[in-house]
Amino acid sequence: MRLSAPYLAYVAAFGMIPFAVTFAIVGIDYRAALVSLALVPLREVFDNTIVLAFSNAVLATLVGVLAAVAIDSLSLRYQRPLALATVLPHTVPFVSAALIWYISLYGGGYGWFTYILHIQNDPLYSPATAMYGVILVSVWGSLTFPFIIIYATLRAIPKEVKENALMDGLPLSRYYGEIAIPMASKAILIAFIIELAFSFGAFDAPYVLTGGGPGYSTTTLGILTYEAVYSLGSYSGGALVSAAIAAMATIPAIALFRVLRANRPILPSVSISMPDWLFRGIVYALLAVILFFNVMPVYWMVLVALRPDIYDFTRPPIMYPRGFTARYFIQAAEGAVPYLVSSAVVSVTVGVIAVLLAAPAAYEVARGRAGRWLLPLSIYLYVLPPMSFVIPLYMFFAKLKLLNTWWALILSMPLFSVTYGLWIMNGYFLDLPRAYDEVGELFGIRNRFTRLIMPLSRPVLLSVFLLAVVGTWHALFYPLIFTATPYNFSFPPVGAQTVTIYAMTAIQESTIKWGLLASMALVAALPPMALDIIFLSMIAKGGPSGGLKFL
């Protein structure tokens, strides 16, 4: 396990130990934790978390399956642009997504969404409807993850399977119902289970959209963890809520292990026979609806950011380009510079760390040179929400005076990227012929992993790097907890707030200036958009060139 030692040391220091300490804090100060939360309607917060988690997981997975099947049935030249349109929500940081929907849901007929559905009042301001708005935005921002996993799995099915099925006269409806979907059933369940585990720690969408309100109508356990520390000043209370989230996420984690061990299709085949023209008509109609609601918020963001604000408050809303001004975008870009620097430094560093730590460990796991327990441990740590580790890490960084520095983010945030990276790379290395190892040994090549295996693994290394960079760029919870001010361009660096925090300030500072709000969301979204174009092009090619193998 020589190559795995750095990986093990990292996940122990910033994953397993903080996780254990979280429960230890609760055990030491359990009564104080309960007292600090005495005035919080815990049953309502728990119910909110369950409703949001299951609604988001079910709907995001269902939409992901429909979109993946529809796009996979197209020719390759159409797949790439439509797949990119489908993953547009992934290119937009969740904070930016919340800001986009914040102005899209605006009541009184000013927002495009409320206008189309004839909603007279802003749903986010009513306790009866606020959760529906949060669920809508959560599904919009989450559906890309199931889509990518399922679409990558469908693209990895050998072309001969589909060609032989169609040559035998099997219509597309039966091919997908009886062959493709069962072959991708593990991917579908994996997507659902991971989405469910993530959603138990839901924070970004409800925090940015409603702050947990009105009242406690959209407060989740993730928000309560933050509020326990910053509003109630109770580490033990925050640790108690974090422990509850971790316990809840453990249930889908156990289910995930069972799914991964399955050696046969899990979902039953569905025999639905219909003419290809009818099947295509149905799935393409559904895809059109999905793409409209995927693309329209991003289009609205760009439109509002680059037009004079006199067109923002009109009935009906003007949904086509009219007038042009770059004033708000320039203002937002200039203000974002210190935040962009922090995001770029932290994201790229986390991407490099993820590759350097995960690759050798995944190789040893795939070759049987590391313990079999390392892969399930990594997957378990990956599916745990960040709240499971944050209280001990905050206390640790405070003691070392690393709060509000890049180091706090660089040390803590790779945990999710390295564990996810090991999972992906393990599948890739399992398929990498052992003949390469044998040739290296035959010719006496020293450092075979770095000189031979890593150059052969460029697709998966690049995929993990891009996923780590984009995921870190999107993050809000850790930057919100560990930072306080933007980078001040001094040395040693002080201040580490990221661009997601900058975008979030738009609601407090520019509620009426939609152009500035949209511009701040756009500035935060442009870099990950470019990276996702590269990533989707790799997946669309199918096979090993995408570097992704989850099963």
Side-chain angles (χ1 to χ4, degrees), residues 204-290:
D204 294 17
Y207 181 78
V208 177
L209 285 171
T210 65
Y216 285 91
S217 61
T218 59
T219 300
T220 61
L221 291 174
I223 292 179
L224 187 57
T225 301
Y226 176 79
E227 294 295 334
V229 175
Y230 279 91
S231 298
L232 304 178
S234 173
Y235 289 133
S236 59
L240 176 61
V241 180
S242 298
I245 296 174
M248 293 169 64
T250 298
I251 299 174
I254 294 173
L256 179 61
F257 298 148
R258 299 193 64 175
V259 170
L260 288 172
R261 287 200 301 266
N263 295 321
R264 64 180 67 181
I266 302 174
L267 298 179
S269 61
V270 179
S271 181
I272 301 177
S273 184
M274 65 178 70
D276 284 353
W277 64 267
L278 180 59
F279 175 80
R280 292 181 187 274
I282 293 174
V283 296
Y284 294 167
L286 293 173
L287 180 62
V289 174
I290 294 170

Side-chain angles (χ1 to χ4, degrees), residues 492-516:
V494 176
Q497 285 186 328
T498 60
V499 72
T500 52
I501 295 179
Y502 173 71
M504 190 181 65
T505 61
I507 291 182
Q508 288 80 31
E509 297 180 2
S510 311
T511 304
I512 305 301
K513 294 181 180 179
W514 281 16
L516 182 58

Side-chain angles (χ1 to χ4, degrees), residues 68-135:
V69 168
I71 294 178
D72 183 67
S73 66
L74 295 168
S75 63
L76 188 59
R77 65 173 179 172
Y78 296 116
Q79 285 190 33
R80 293 184 184 181
L82 292 180
L84 179 60
T86 305
V87 302
L88 263 182
H90 183 261
T91 69
V92 179
F94 227 114
V95 172
S96 296
L99 294 179
I100 297 169
W101 281 99
Y102 186 82
I103 60 178
S104 299
L105 292 172
Y106 194 84
Y110 296 119
W112 69 269
F113 186 85
T114 50
Y115 170 73
I116 291 176
L117 297 183
H118 302 286
I119 299 174
Q120 294 302 313
N121 300 309
D122 191 335
L124 299 177
Y125 281 87
S126 170
T129 58
M131 181 57 76
Y132 294 113
V134 172
I135 291 173

Side-chain angles (χ1 to χ4, degrees), residues 47-70:
D47 290 345
N48 290 341
T49 303
I50 294 296
V51 169
L52 178 57
F54 277 93
S55 299
N56 182 57
V58 170
L59 293 175
T61 304
L62 179 61
V63 174
V65 170
L66 293 173
V69 168

Side-chain angles (χ1 to χ4, degrees), residues 452-464:
L452 181 62
I453 302 301
M454 287 191 74
L456 292 169
S457 309
R458 284 191 295 268
V460 72
L461 298 181
L462 180 58
S463 292
V464 169

Side-chain angles (χ1 to χ4, degrees), residues 31-45 215-216 219 224 227-228 231-232 234 237 240:
R31 292 185 180 277
L34 291 178
V35 170
S36 67
L37 301 173
L39 299 179
V40 178
L42 295 177
R43 177 61 183 271
E44 182 179 0
V45 174
Y216 285 91
T219 300
L224 187 57
E227 294 295 334
S231 298
L232 304 178
S234 173
L240 176 61

Side-chain angles (χ1 to χ4, degrees), residues 521-547:
L522 181 59
V523 167
L526 284 177
M529 280 183 175
L531 294 178
D532 270 315
I533 291 174
I534 301 173
F535 180 61
L536 251 292
S537 297
M538 295 171 61
I539 292 180
K541 293 178 182 178
S545 61

